[in-house]
Amino acid sequence: DLNRLSGDIQLIVDGKRLDGRGFDELRPINIKVGVLKRADGSCYLEMGKNKVVAAVYGPREVHPRHLADPVKAVVRYRYSMAPFSVEERKRPGPDRRSIEISKVSREAIEAVVMKELFPRSGIDVFVEVLQADAGTRTACLNAASVALVDAGVPMRGLISSVAVAKVDDILVLDPMKEEDNYGQADIPFAFFIRNDKIESIALLQMDGRVSRDEFKQALEMAKKGAMEIYQMQKEAIKAKYMIESEEVNSDE
Ligand code: UDP
């Protein structure tokens, strides 16, 4: 958050975070797959007070045509915040922040999508923030990656994303708004995970300052958090698949 306020606010009280979480504890996550009828794939995801929805279209013909790539699919990613998603009304439409988030998120997603299978086509990912409480880019990436699976887009793995913050000289996982605003550093991570194994870092950003040791610790904390998110993403996908296969069976 570029509007970081230098902090008189105490964020750790009696060894606890303001919302009662442990330092390495995620906010509650809730994932629903296939919530939109008109998208090829979709996902609604809550990460604490964040509420986001992702819609995927494609692979399909690219418009305008000249943007098509003869050897692979073109991936587009649009991050957008609803005017009512934040405390002070967000002016609708793209701004510098959302353009930057869209770019780095697209690059993360491109690490897992098997683009080479779909020359000349386009895969469009739209993510909408309905309610924001810090970490919206991470929540959106988690939703986008599930929506891509729901769309049947062939993927090398999943993207699982979470931030680590430094508050009152302590590293905390998945910071909420107060920790993001008044903390000393904020480091969003996204990992490419395949077969329960972290293959690579697909996104890494940072504002504020941490020491080399703190950064190493932050990375370990983020990896652990991302693995928990990965399991929940897999569960959500499985849950939808099982309901559908039961429906098919009961039709027989
Ligand atoms: N935020 C806001 N208005 C804005 C942009 C951000 O109130 O125009 C809030 C919102 O809660 C967001 C948080 O600031 O989640 C942190 O924003 P940041 O730019 O760090 O991105 P995020 O952490 O959401 O990925």
Side-chain angles (χ1 to χ4, degrees), residues 1-4 27 50 79 81 85-91 95 97-98 100-101 129 131-140 163 175-178 180-181 186 188 205 207:
D1 190 347
L2 297 176
N3 305 314
R4 179 176 309 291
R27 289 175 284 188
N50 291 304
Y79 166 100
M81 263 185 158
S85 65
V86 286
E87 219 159 307
E88 271 198 44
R89 179 180 180 277
K90 155 84 176 64
R91 201 163 157 264
D95 52 16
R97 173 179 172 276
S98 61
E100 177 213 302
I101 293 177
V129 178
Q131 186 169 289
D133 194 61
T136 56
R137 78 194 64 198
T138 67
C140 286
M176 36 73 170
K177 187 85 170 77
E178 291 81 355
D180 183 300
N181 273 179
D186 175 31
Q205 298 182 281
D207 58 70

Side-chain angles (χ1 to χ4, degrees), residues 217-229:
Q217 283 175 46
L219 174 60
E220 286 317 305
M221 202 176 222
K223 280 181 173 175
K224 252 190 73 213
M227 281 308 299
E228 289 177 39
I229 294 170

Side-chain angles (χ1 to χ4, degrees), residues 100-134:
E100 177 213 302
I101 293 177
S102 298
K103 175 184 183 284
V104 294
S105 303
R106 170 179 52 77
E107 288 168 347
I109 288 296
E110 282 183 309
V112 293
V113 171
M114 299 172 86
K115 296 186 291 183
E116 65 283 1
L117 297 180
F118 303 98
R120 276 181 288 279
S121 35
I123 297 167
D124 291 306
V125 182
F126 298 92
V127 294
E128 298 286 335
V129 178
L130 307 176
Q131 186 169 289
D133 194 61

